Amino acid sequence: MNTYLQNTFHQIQFTINSIKSLIEILDETDFQIALIEGKRTVGELVSHLAIICKADLQIIGQASVEEMNAFYDINMVDSKREMLKQLNEGYEELVCYYESLPDVFIPATSYWGTTYSHFEWLLEILAHLNHHRAQLHLYISFLGKEPAVVLFE
């Protein structure tokens, strides 16, 4: 694996570890709370976070919108234990997938028409994880809990 990938995976692993620390702050009773009208509940947000790596791998694999809808229907998780497990599994699948690629600059097109190289998609996954991690950090603050988790090294 080249240095660019190693460094990117280091950042993804750090982000996932901080997400797991944030999840540990929550009680499963918090999952039903909708803090902002019209937005995801705490549980829906954490469930989405838990499967981002797996979902984004589907997108890179050029899954259709129908396939993605089915993926989300089948893969949403609702227990803290399963969410933590899915985060770990998704990261491992992501690493294995990228280790198997002969060239990370081969393009892949999403169902909505965006074309990026595989390396750019990996950067998008990192950004996606960080985006929702920030939301989770804010949600935990709104719940009156102290999210004393380091978000950046």
Side-chain angles (χ1 to χ4, degrees):
M1 187 181 294
N2 71 42
T3 304
Y4 296 112
L5 285 176
Q6 287 175 342
N7 292 341
T8 305
F9 276 112
H10 171 77
Q11 292 301 315
I12 291 171
Q13 181 68 73
F14 181 85
T15 300
I16 287 174
N17 287 341
S18 62
I19 290 166
K20 290 190 298 190
S21 295
L22 289 168
I23 292 170
E24 289 294 349
I25 294 169
L26 296 167
D27 299 314
E28 288 194 12
T29 56
D30 296 328
F31 291 171
Q32 303 307 314
I33 299 170
L35 294 163
I36 302 170
E37 188 176 331
K39 298 293 182 184
R40 291 180 168 127
T41 65
V42 173
E44 290 167 342
L45 174 61
V46 178
S47 181
H48 178 70
L49 259 167
I51 62 171
I52 282 176
C53 291
K54 289 182 178 188
D56 286 357
L57 273 174
Q58 297 294 311
I59 292 168
I60 294 168
Q62 302 181 343
S64 68
V65 67
E66 295 81 16
E67 291 169 324
M68 288 309 300
N69 288 334
F71 172 86
Y72 284 118
D73 287 343
I74 293 168
N75 288 285
M76 286 302 195
V77 291
D78 58 7
S79 75
K80 187 190 294 194
R81 186 173 150 261
E82 187 61 26
M83 291 169 181
L84 295 169
K85 179 181 173 213
Q86 289 298 320
L87 274 165
N88 290 329
E89 286 179 8
Y91 176 77
E92 292 302 322
E93 288 178 22
L94 193 63
V95 170
C96 287
Y97 176 79
Y98 273 84
E99 285 179 338
S100 73
L101 289 175
D103 181 1
V104 296
F105 296 104
I106 296 169
T109 302
S110 68
Y111 65 84
W112 61 88
T114 298
T115 301
Y116 289 144
S117 73
H118 279 71
F119 183 68
E120 287 175 296
W121 281 116
L122 188 61
L123 295 176
E124 284 294 319
I125 292 168
L126 176 59
H128 194 183
L129 287 164
N130 277 295
H131 163 72
H132 289 303
R133 178 184 66 177
Q135 287 180 318
L136 180 58
H137 188 273
L138 183 64
Y139 275 25
I140 290 169
S141 296
F142 283 166
L143 290 171
K145 300 179 183 213
E146 181 55 44
V149 174
V150 176
L151 300 181
F152 299 97
E153 292 181 297

